[in-house]
Amino acid sequence: MNAYPKTTPIVAADAMPSQRQAGLRRFCSAGALLLAVAASLVAAPHPSRAQDVQSAPSFVDDFTSFDHSHWYVSDGWSNGPHQNCTWSKSLVELSDGVLTLGFEKRQVKDREFACGEVQTKKRYGYGTYEARMKTDTGSGLNAAFFSYIGPADKQPWDEIDFEVLTKDTSKVQVNTYISGKPKNEKLADVEGGTDKGFNDYGFVWEKERLRFYVNGKLVQEVTNPAELPTHSQKIFFSLWGSEKLTNWMGPFSDPGRKVTMQVERVAFTALGEPCQFKESLACGINSGANSN
C-alpha cells in the first residue's frame, strides 16, 4: 500500500451498531452460549421457511471512494475476551481502489493490539455475495468476509462465513451458524494461497440451498433446511487476533509489524437480478455455470 497522502484513513461518522459475536462459540462456556441463544430466540423467533427474507438492493463497491452512507467503521470496542485487539477506525484505510484493514501493536483501551473492521448499515437476503481480497500471514490471526445478524439486532444469531486463519494461507474456512450453532464447517483449498494475490470468494444464498465458491469453484453446498439461515444479515470484513483460541487459530505471537487484509471489490446481487460485473458468479450461476 502507498503511504500518506495517497492512503486515506476512514473516519466513522455515526453511533456504534450491533457487535458481531463470532469467535465466542470457541471461547464462552457452554452454559453462557446456551443462555445467549435462548435470549435471542425469545427476542425474535425464526420465521416460517415459507416467508421471504427481506433484502436491501443489489450493489457493487470497488472502493474508488468510501461510502459512509453504506459502511460503518467499527471503533473503540472488541467482540469479547477472546479477542486481543480493539477495533480502531485508524486501521481502516482506502488507497488506489483498495480497502485495507490492519492489525498492529498499539495500546487501545485495555488491549495491547488494534485491528480493523467494517460492516454494512443495511441487511441483505437471498442472493450472490462476492468479495475479491488478499490476506497477510501470521499465526493467531483471522481475516474474514462474512454476513451476520444477532441478538444485539434483536434477531437470532445467523451467520455465513469465509474465514482465513492466516496460520495457513493455503486454505479458507467456510461455515454457517443457525441460532448460534455451528453447521457445515469445512476447510477449502485456495490455489496459490490467500496471501500471494487477490482471490474471489462468494456464496449464493437461496431459500433451499447455500453454495460456497472459491475462485469460481464450488467448494461446499448446504441443502438441509435446518442448516440454512432465515434472517437478513449485514456484510462484514474484519481482521483480528486472539491469544486464547489457539486450537482454532494457532498460537499467537506478535508479528512485529503491521499485518493487513486488502479488499478490491465486494458485491451483492439479489436473486433474479442481472449480474453487475463480468467476473461475477451471478452471470452464470443460475444457468448452471461454475456449478462443478
Side-chain angles (χ1 to χ4, degrees), residues 18-19 21 40 123 148-158 232:
S18 64
Q19 299 179 28
Q21 293 183 339
S40 70
R123 306 177 190 182
Y148 165 80
I149 203 70
D153 298 289
K154 297 184 179 180
Q155 295 288 317
W157 175 355
D158 275 5
S232 303

Side-chain angles (χ1 to χ4, degrees), residues 59 70-72 118-122 124 233-235:
F59 76 91
H70 185 76
W71 295 102
Y72 178 85
V118 297
Q119 56 182 281
T120 58
K121 295 181 178 180
K122 295 179 180 178
Y124 300 87
Q233 301 173 41
K234 299 176 184 178
I235 299 170

Side-chain angles (χ1 to χ4, degrees), residues 84-104:
N84 69 355
C85 57
T86 300
W87 302 125
S88 174
K89 62 188 178 184
S90 66
L91 285 171
V92 179
E93 299 174 335
L94 195 67
S95 177
D96 297 335
V98 175
L99 178 72
T100 298
L101 307 182
F103 177 96
E104 67 180 9

